Amino acid sequence: MANNSNQHQVKAKKHLGQHFLNDESVAQDIANTLTLNGYKSVLEIGPGMGVLTKYLLKKDITTYVIEIDTESVEYLQSNYLNLAPRIIEKDFLKYDLNEIFKGEPFAIIGNYPYNISTQIVFKMLDMRDQIPEFSGMFQKEVAERICSKEGSKVYGILSVLAQAYYDAEYLFTVPPNVFNPPPKVDSGVMRLIRKADYSLPCDDALFFKVVKAAFQQRRKTIRNSLKTFNLSDNLKANSIFDKRPEQLSVQQFIELTQLVENDIKA
């Protein structure tokens, strides 16, 4: 257990998007978003001075942390001795996590750095076969976007891709004053739990392409945004092509991908 009272404090670095949480009850609430179902290890991204880490270490699970900031790593090594062998001093976005997890399932949690939070979600989705659960704190609008349904102004690429494979739940909002330094916006904590059957009845790579192409021109109809796919006039006459992307549910995007797939093969 770390004693932070007279320890050297790590200085938050703007270029790393660091805002250190200093509210113990919020840290405990975030740790408690883990259900511990379907995995024996958890990876915390960007632990900083370990405010969330210490609550993870109390759980019946093996905790790993990945941290790019050398000063934070030194702080953790000296204050959390039992964690030291499982501190990974790497860039999460560039590191091959199977050097640690060897194909085994693991959960991901964190107070995610705002500046790379969407990239973290995309990398997590690429590893969905190994990640039954993903939770933590984002900028509020990002957490809301991941969990939003069709028809919402913030519904977009992240919403559709995450919810194709996971059940998404927005859990609670965190005000700026519990951070040092305080961010300029509210934060939101959400959780993704992988669906029991998360295999799509279409080509996954094509699904990603269709969703991204549709939302890159979100004010246009699907017919216009999927022009580059060179689809047949017959297919483009289907009424789904009259809709705009935010009108389509996740299930409809899957059906759209199936239509596109069959048309390309024809």
Side-chain angles (χ1 to χ4, degrees):
M1 177 70 70
N3 170 17
N4 292 347
S5 58
N6 56 4
Q7 300 286 353
H8 164 69
Q9 297 289 300
V10 176
K11 190 172 187 310
K13 293 161 194 68
K14 200 171 182 179
H15 71 281
L16 294 177
Q18 288 177 330
H19 295 276
F20 292 129
L21 178 65
N22 53 22
D23 185 304
E24 296 294 333
S25 66
V26 173
Q28 193 163 12
D29 288 345
I30 295 170
N32 288 341
T33 62
L34 293 178
T35 66
L36 309 184
N37 291 331
Y39 53 90
K40 295 190 175 78
S41 303
V42 63
L43 175 67
E44 182 189 354
I45 298 174
M49 288 181 280
V51 63
L52 171 59
T53 320
K54 65 171 164 292
Y55 293 104
L56 298 175
L57 290 170
K58 291 177 181 176
K59 294 185 179 293
D60 186 19
I61 193 165
T62 306
T63 299
Y64 294 81
V65 300
I66 187 163
E67 176 61 74
I68 198 172
D69 176 29
T70 310
E71 196 186 0
S72 293
V73 168
E74 287 168 359
Y75 182 92
L76 293 168
Q77 283 170 338
S78 59
N79 286 280
Y80 295 88
L81 301 180
N82 55 345
L83 178 70
R86 298 186 307 281
I87 299 171
I88 310 159
E89 190 175 354
K90 297 283 182 186
D91 178 344
F92 171 79
L93 295 177
K94 295 176 183 162
Y95 182 63
D96 176 6
L97 294 169
N98 277 318
E99 287 192 23
I100 301 289
F101 296 108
K102 317 287 188 212
E104 291 292 312
F106 62 99
I108 292 181
I109 196 168
N111 303 325
Y112 302 109
Y114 287 168
N115 52 351
I116 58 163
S117 59
T118 54
Q119 292 158 276
I120 288 170
V121 177
F122 282 123
K123 176 161 179 175
M124 183 277 299
L125 288 172
D126 284 343
M127 297 190 71
R128 59 190 174 272
D129 290 338
Q130 270 175 270
I131 301 174
E133 194 165 277
F134 173 89
S135 70
M137 182 152 56
F138 290 85
Q139 195 168 326
K140 183 172 186 248
E141 67 173 78
V142 176
E144 285 177 334
R145 183 179 306 139
I146 294 167
C147 300
S148 68
K149 298 293 182 204
E150 69 274 13
S152 154
K153 280 193 178 73
V154 295
Y155 181 70
I157 295 172
L158 272 185
S159 328
V160 177
L161 297 184
Q163 291 174 48
Y165 305 103
Y166 292 83
D167 293 318
E169 190 181 358
Y170 185 94
L171 299 171
F172 56 92
T173 302
V174 181
N177 63 339
V178 298
F179 296 90
N180 180 27
K184 293 187 170 66
V185 291
D186 280 346
S187 300
V189 175
M190 59 111 232
R191 176 175 59 211
L192 298 178
I193 296 178
R194 195 175 59 199
K195 296 178 177 182
D197 178 11
Y198 63 96
S199 59
L200 302 188
C202 63
D203 179 79
D204 293 88
L206 184 62
F207 176 69
F208 273 59
K209 277 183 190 153
V210 166
V211 173
K212 285 179 177 176
F215 280 104
Q216 266 156 5
Q217 299 178 296
R218 64 182 298 142
R219 289 189 175 77
K220 296 190 172 178
T221 63
I222 299 292
R223 188 175 292 111
N224 278 324
S225 54
L226 297 193
K227 263 186 181 151
T228 54
F229 287 76
N230 296 320
L231 301 170
S232 68
D233 290 338
N234 192 26
L235 177 61
K236 286 188 288 192
N238 187 310
S239 62
I240 199 167
F241 284 84
D242 297 329
K243 293 182 180 286
R244 291 194 310 279
E246 71 265 20
Q247 296 175 292
L248 296 191
S249 67
V250 173
Q251 184 55 40
Q252 286 173 304
F253 266 109
I254 292 169
E255 288 162 13
L256 174 64
T257 305
Q258 289 173 311
L259 291 171
V260 170
E261 198 170 358
N262 294 334
D263 194 68
I264 290 170
K265 284 177 187 167

